[in-house]
Amino acid sequence: MARPVITPRSRTFPWLRRRTAALAAVALSLVLAGTGCSGAGTTSPPAAGGAPNAAPVVSGPLCDLLPSGSDPGNPAALAGQPAEVALRWLPVLTTFEAAVRASGMSADLRGGSGMTILAPTDDAFAAKFSEDDLDHLLLADRDTLRGLLREHLVAGSRSLSDLVAAGKVTTLAGTTMTVTGGGGSARLADRADTVCADYQVAGARIHIINHVLGDLPTTGGPGGHRAH
């Protein structure tokens, strides 16, 4: 599967650390099962030429460190791409994107009335789950994984300002959470903050957040390395 081109200046950021064995195993299992990537944007970076005339504007403290300008994966290049394709070009969402594929929920991101995707960063997953627990979720517990992902999906394609104006939203898992904020960011359930919001993709909005939602136990952090 093609991945975004990483420029030399981005090599110091945390998403370039070595991929875990779980993500590699998920990718291999999907290839062996014949569920590899297909469709536009999978063999070469999405081209900005197909984007709307007005380039989408994203906001949040992490945006400056993500693809921009003519870089593969920039907001204009992702506009109009299917959500599952767009996720592949955001280098801080490798775990979330792998979870979507492992759970078989790619089609769920294309709801008839649109979808709002609250996507935790790789660092958020590392803080939430130990490596062993993340391996188990990705490789062996699809039901729990699907439940976790539904905690991060909201029916309807909603901009950041829409979420803040509503004051609360209900996820596909049935959890109602408050939304507060303004000035280019929002706080969700008094637990997570948007760190780069308002990626516009086909029928959906992607808001990158810094915390994993839901009520699964926290086993990650400094003591969450793999058991030996």
Side-chain angles (χ1 to χ4, degrees):
M1 179 187 303
R3 284 285 181 186
V5 175
I6 303 299
T7 62
R9 71 180 176 85
S10 67
R11 288 177 181 158
T12 59
F13 299 125
W15 59 76
L16 293 181
R17 61 181 178 271
R18 182 173 57 85
R19 300 284 171 83
T20 64
L23 297 182
V26 169
L28 178 60
S29 67
L30 290 170
V31 171
L32 294 177
T35 58
C37 302
S38 62
T42 59
T43 59
S44 61
N53 291 331
V57 176
V58 294
S59 63
L62 190 63
C63 296
D64 287 345
L65 304 181
L66 295 178
S68 61
S70 60
D71 295 336
N74 72 77
L78 298 185
Q81 293 290 324
E84 68 271 24
V85 172
L87 289 171
R88 297 169 197 160
W89 297 99
L90 294 171
V92 295
L93 298 182
T94 60
T95 305
F96 185 80
E97 189 269 332
V100 169
R101 287 187 289 121
S103 67
M105 288 184 64
S106 293
D108 296 63
L109 305 186
R110 303 187 297 270
S113 60
M115 194 67 63
T116 299
I117 302 165
L118 307 171
T121 63
D122 294 342
D123 285 343
F125 274 99
K128 180 66 176 176
F129 300 112
S130 69
E131 291 182 29
D132 286 334
D133 286 344
L134 187 57
D135 286 0
H136 182 72
L137 273 175
L138 293 173
L139 299 173
D141 196 348
R142 175 180 279 199
D143 288 343
T144 300
L145 182 60
R146 289 175 68 90
L148 175 66
L149 291 178
R150 289 191 184 99
E151 294 283 4
H152 298 84
L153 301 177
V154 176
S157 178
R158 308 189 189 191
S159 68
L160 184 68
S161 59
D162 290 338
L163 295 176
V164 173
K168 62 176 61 177
V169 293
T170 301
T171 68
L172 296 192
T175 302
T176 298
M177 59 184 174
T178 58
V179 183
T180 58
S185 65
R187 187 157 181 81
L188 309 169
D190 202 28
R191 295 173 59 190
D193 298 292
T194 60
V195 290
C196 192
D198 272 333
Y199 280 93
Q200 301 177 40
V201 300
R205 293 274 182 142
I206 299 173
H207 306 298
I208 301 175
I209 63 176
N210 63 357
H211 189 91
V212 175
L213 302 172
D215 58 2
L216 291 180
T218 297
T219 58
H225 54 77
R226 192 180 306 283
H228 296 285

